[in-house]
Amino acid sequence: MNEVIPWVGIERAHFGEFRSDVRERLGNFSSFKRSPDDSLIDHYSSRGLMLHFDKSDRLDFIEATAVSELSFSGIQLLQRPFGDVLAELRSNSIEFSLDGSGCVLTGYGIELYTPAPDELDVDVEGVTLRAPVQTQDSPDTLQAVIKDSPDEGMLF
């Protein structure tokens, strides 16, 4: 399993790393744009990862599918019933808030996607990880930035 490191990324891909460094480390990929104005997204299908980069070509957003086998605090996040994942998060005192596409792990930059969040026996199909950013008011303060409509245009 690949362990999620909150606000850092995953073991082999850290936020802020240059695209060229990640490509060298992860190997085979294909790239695509969701729209003409978007930057290239690197898709590592054999690893279940879609990596987004900012205008400086630094990693700033990760989408993961079941193939990635992501875990957090030892909890397998994908390809398990949503209700089971929530119960395990709760038993480990990991706070989350439910939303229309799954849940957000409060304060970790981690979101879980399930196609039917009201049906707890449906598997979690995707995880998104967000990079922290410095706020304009205080460069020493980090916070998550929600990209435009995170539910729209995602592959899962």
Side-chain angles (χ1 to χ4, degrees):
M1 277 194 275
N2 292 309
E3 186 72 13
V4 172
I5 308 163
W7 306 116
V8 173
I10 59 176
E11 182 180 323
R12 298 185 52 104
H14 292 181
F15 295 124
E17 288 186 303
F18 284 105
R19 182 189 306 264
S20 58
D21 295 335
V22 175
R23 283 178 171 177
E24 186 176 315
R25 186 177 317 111
L26 295 183
N28 293 334
F29 66 93
S30 60
S31 294
F32 67 95
K33 288 185 175 189
R34 287 210 168 104
S35 72
D37 296 333
D38 285 344
S39 61
L40 281 177
I41 297 168
D42 287 354
H43 184 202
Y44 296 85
S45 60
S46 66
R47 296 179 182 273
L49 298 172
M50 287 163 282
L51 306 181
H52 302 244
F53 296 82
D54 64 17
K55 292 177 183 173
S56 300
D57 232 18
R58 292 179 179 268
L59 181 62
D60 71 346
F61 188 73
I62 298 171
E63 293 179 79
T65 62
V67 175
S68 68
E69 299 181 344
L70 287 188
S71 64
F72 174 60
S73 291
I75 301 166
Q76 180 184 343
L77 298 176
L78 291 153
Q79 214 164 11
R80 295 179 56 207
F82 186 49
D84 292 354
V85 175
L86 295 179
E88 200 166 343
L89 291 168
R90 191 174 291 118
S91 71
N92 283 279
S93 302
I94 297 171
E95 293 185 32
F96 57 85
S97 60
L98 299 174
D99 63 23
S101 62
C103 74
V104 176
L105 279 60
T106 310
Y108 297 101
I110 303 170
E111 300 172 24
L112 306 181
Y113 168 77
T114 179
D118 295 334
E119 298 176 32
L120 298 179
D121 60 334
V122 174
D123 283 357
V124 175
E125 291 184 3
V127 173
T128 58
L129 307 175
R130 298 184 183 282
V133 296
Q134 294 179 337
T135 63
Q136 296 206 3
D137 297 337
S138 173
D140 296 328
T141 303
L142 298 178
Q143 68 180 25
V145 169
I146 305 300
K147 293 189 175 213
D148 295 334
S149 303
D151 299 279
E152 296 177 20
M154 298 300 175
L155 293 182
F156 46 80

